[in-house]
């Protein structure tokens, strides 16, 4: 059953050096506060999974948390490259980063397979493309019923799944709505999970037709972190901070500027700092 705890305790309890970690959220509800706490606690040797690694993984990679990235697209949305990711891959700074690239369809199906406790995912795809020539984890299988050849990739089964959600009730049930990406599958596929939320309520209340409710027995730890998705957005709470995404391009281009920003805004602060961002963006 889900346990309510501080974000510091949740990360200390759930994320260990060398773990396979998935921090998911598609434009919406990206778990930045949890990523910052992972950096503060000095986690190393992580294999990071994410369909669309953006700023939080740029920061974690630049601070030396990761040894491998499994992904399907990487960039600063609407702006350009992730400079810390590029520096790690191209120049080995702060150390060499291994990468495993997939398509969006492959990653989504791999999460679904992991959530279903299956060893691999199969789907129609990867025809006429070059990725299989550089990724040995993309293979072909033959349907035993029709003889059709299908693409196959290993299921994603993280040690830890990390997401940000809108709210939880006092029993530990968690609500997501709006753009939800693969957050549900991430939690269900993972051995352990951390969910940061904007608030705890007595009742989850009325919700949209696309809402997802994760029952408390699927979640390991819940931490209340208002603003914990900043600079991404949380539907009904605060907007996306587009100016920060633009500013990050300049900050991340230079190693010294990056380290100075991380020291001032991450290492010297705690998750409570995100509440101010939420109020500013509301």
């Amino acid at each position: 059953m889900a346990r309510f705890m501080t974000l510091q305790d949740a990360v200390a309890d759930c994320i260990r050096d060398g773990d396979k970690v998935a921090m998911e959220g598609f434009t919406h509800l990206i778990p930045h506060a949890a990523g910052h706490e992972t950096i503060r606690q000095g986690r190393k040797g992580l294999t990071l999974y994410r369909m669309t690694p953006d700023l939080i993984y740029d920061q974690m990679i630049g601070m030396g948390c990761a040894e491998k990235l499994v992904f399907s697209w990487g960039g600063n949305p609407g702006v350009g490259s992730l400079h810390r990711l590029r520096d790690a891959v191209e120049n080995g700074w702060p150390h060499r980063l291994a990468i495993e690239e997939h398509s969006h369809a492959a990653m989504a199906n791999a999460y679904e397979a992991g959530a279903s406790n299956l060893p691999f995912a199969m789907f129609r795809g990867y025809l006429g493309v070059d990725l299989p020539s550089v990724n040995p984890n993309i293979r072909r299988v033959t349907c035993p019923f029709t003889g059709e050849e299908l693409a196959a990739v290993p299921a994603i089964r993280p040690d830890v799944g990390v997401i940000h959600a809108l709210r939880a009730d006092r029993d530990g049930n968690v609500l997501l709505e709006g753009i939800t990406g693969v957050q549900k599958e991430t939690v269900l596929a993972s051995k352990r999970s951390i969910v940061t939320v904007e608030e705890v309520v007595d009742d989850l209340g009325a919700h949209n037709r696309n809402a997802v409710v994760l029952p408390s027995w699927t979640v390991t730890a819940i931490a209340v972190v208002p603003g914990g998705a900043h600079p991404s957005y949380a539907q009904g709470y605060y907007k996306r901070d587009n100016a920060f995404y633009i500013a990050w391009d300049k900050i991340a281009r230079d190693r010294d500027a990056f380290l100075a920003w991380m020291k001032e805004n991450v290492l010297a602060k705690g998750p409570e700092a995100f509440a101010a961002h939420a109020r500013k963006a509301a």
Side-chain angles (χ1 to χ4, degrees), residues 82-99:
L82 295 176
H83 301 294
R84 295 302 93 224
L85 167 59
R86 290 193 63 157
D87 204 5
V89 173
E90 296 174 357
N91 305 308
W93 191 93
H95 55 72
R96 187 66 61 187
L97 180 74
I99 59 172

Side-chain angles (χ1 to χ4, degrees), residues 112-271:
E112 188 76 43
S116 302
N117 198 25
L118 294 171
F120 68 94
M122 61 180 180
F123 58 103
R124 292 184 176 92
Y126 284 136
L127 296 173
V129 298
D130 293 331
L131 270 178
S133 67
V134 296
N135 184 347
N137 279 330
I138 299 170
R139 304 187 188 180
R140 309 295 297 179
V141 295
T142 302
C143 174
F145 303 103
T146 67
E148 181 182 4
E149 273 208 349
L150 301 166
V153 295
I156 295 176
R157 299 298 304 273
D159 295 303
V160 192
V162 183
I163 66 169
H164 187 76
L166 297 179
R167 50 193 176 271
D169 66 21
R170 302 192 188 282
D171 293 324
N173 303 302
V174 172
L175 173 70
L176 303 98
E177 58 185 356
I179 297 175
T180 54
V182 293
Q183 288 101 314
K184 175 187 71 175
E185 290 80 5
T186 298
V187 170
L188 296 179
S190 300
K191 297 176 184 175
R192 304 178 295 278
S193 58
I194 299 172
V195 181
T196 54
V197 296
E198 291 295 322
E199 62 176 333
V200 176
V201 295
D202 292 326
D203 190 299
L204 295 178
H207 41 262
N208 294 331
R209 291 183 178 181
N210 78 326
V212 174
V213 176
L214 290 167
S216 62
W217 55 267
T218 65
V219 177
T220 305
I222 297 173
V224 181
V225 188
H230 180 271
S232 70
Y233 74 101
Q235 180 172 293
Y237 289 85
Y238 45 91
K239 297 178 180 179
R240 187 178 190 268
D241 189 351
N242 292 318
F244 184 81
Y245 284 84
I246 295 170
W248 183 252
D249 185 73
K250 182 178 180 180
I251 294 166
R253 280 180 182 272
D254 179 77
R255 293 175 183 175
D256 291 336
F258 164 75
L259 290 172
W261 189 92
M262 294 298 293
K263 181 178 180 180
E264 179 180 355
N265 295 281
V266 178
L267 299 180
K269 294 186 178 180

